[in-house]
């Protein structure tokens, strides 16, 4: 019985996170109203506060959801170089297929400049992202897939900056984002995927 209650509770929590995520994507951070979030899920504001006592805790959960979506693009198979190339392309595809993801990231990034609590949450997220990228780059250098003189710390920051910039409206044109990623791959010296052989 406790397991059923826990799964219902987790489902309700996730519904609130997704409702907040959609509110931010549609109306921006300034348009996020906890009453609207609760109403969309069909609960009262007291129930929302049971799961998320503060707006900051709700935003943290939204950001966890966003980062979870990004983590799905990091496949653990193949060489580190292949993983990196596939990651860059998968993130690009994700941002094209789920434009609300980029909208939420852009909203929170812009808000973090003026709001210390959101800035702190965003910095934590970027730190985790940076450590992950740096580790992947170091493995790619060790296996000979990237040039040994690359500074993995600086390159990780560059990759994150490139991917983050793709959430901004000026970069939402798929051609711009695709060209930026292709250039980044070339600059890194990532092996290019060969075109599929014809069976004729």
């Amino acid at each position: 019985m406790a397991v059923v209650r826990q799964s219902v509770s987790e489902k309700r929590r996730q519904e609130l996170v997704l409702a907040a995520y959609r509110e931010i994507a549609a109306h921006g951070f300034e348009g996020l109203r906890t009453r609207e979030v609760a109403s969309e899920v069909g609960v009262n504001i007291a129930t929302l506060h049971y799961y998320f006592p503060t707006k900051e805790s709700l935003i943290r959960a939204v950001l966890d959801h966003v980062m979870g979506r990004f983590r799905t693009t990091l496949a653990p198979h193949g060489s580190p170089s292949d993983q990196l190339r596939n990651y860059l392309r998968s993130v690009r595809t994700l941002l094209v297929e789920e434009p609300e993801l980029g909208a939420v990231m852009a909203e929170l990034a812009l808000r973090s400049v003026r709001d210390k609590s959101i800035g702190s949450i965003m910095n934590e997220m970027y730190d985790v992202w940076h450590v992950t990228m740096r580790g992947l780059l170091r493995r790619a250098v060790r296996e000979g897939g990237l040039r040994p003189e690359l500074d993995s710390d600086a390159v990780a920051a560059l990759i994150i900056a490139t991917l983050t910039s793709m959430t901004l409206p000026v970069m939402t044109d798929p051609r711009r984002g695709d060209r930026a990623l292709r250039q980044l791959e070339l600059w890194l010296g990532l092996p290019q995927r060969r075109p599929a052989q014809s069976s004729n």
Side-chain angles (χ1 to χ4, degrees), residues 106-123:
E107 278 293 324
L108 292 174
L110 293 171
R111 180 68 182 198
S112 70
V113 175
R114 298 182 307 277
D115 186 313
K116 285 185 181 179
S117 64
I118 294 174
S120 173
I121 295 168
M122 292 294 285
N123 284 335

Side-chain angles (χ1 to χ4, degrees), residues 13-90:
R13 184 182 188 283
Q14 190 60 21
E15 287 171 345
L16 289 165
V17 170
L18 291 175
Y21 171 81
R22 287 189 295 269
E23 284 287 314
I24 294 171
H27 307 293
F29 185 85
E30 301 299 330
L32 177 63
R33 302 282 180 266
T34 51
R35 286 191 186 283
E36 293 295 322
V37 171
S39 175
E40 186 180 327
V41 176
V43 299
N44 60 34
I45 194 72
T47 300
L48 182 142
H49 287 308
Y50 168 78
Y51 290 99
F52 302 103
T54 64
K55 198 171 187 180
E56 181 182 318
S57 64
L58 179 59
I59 291 164
R60 185 177 292 275
V62 168
L63 203 45
D64 285 345
H65 170 74
V66 167
M67 288 314 295
R69 296 299 300 130
F70 278 109
R71 278 191 295 275
T72 65
T73 62
L74 192 53
H77 52 275
S79 71
S81 299
D82 287 341
Q83 288 179 39
L84 181 58
R85 185 190 61 236
N86 293 338
Y87 174 72
L88 293 174
R89 293 177 183 182
S90 296

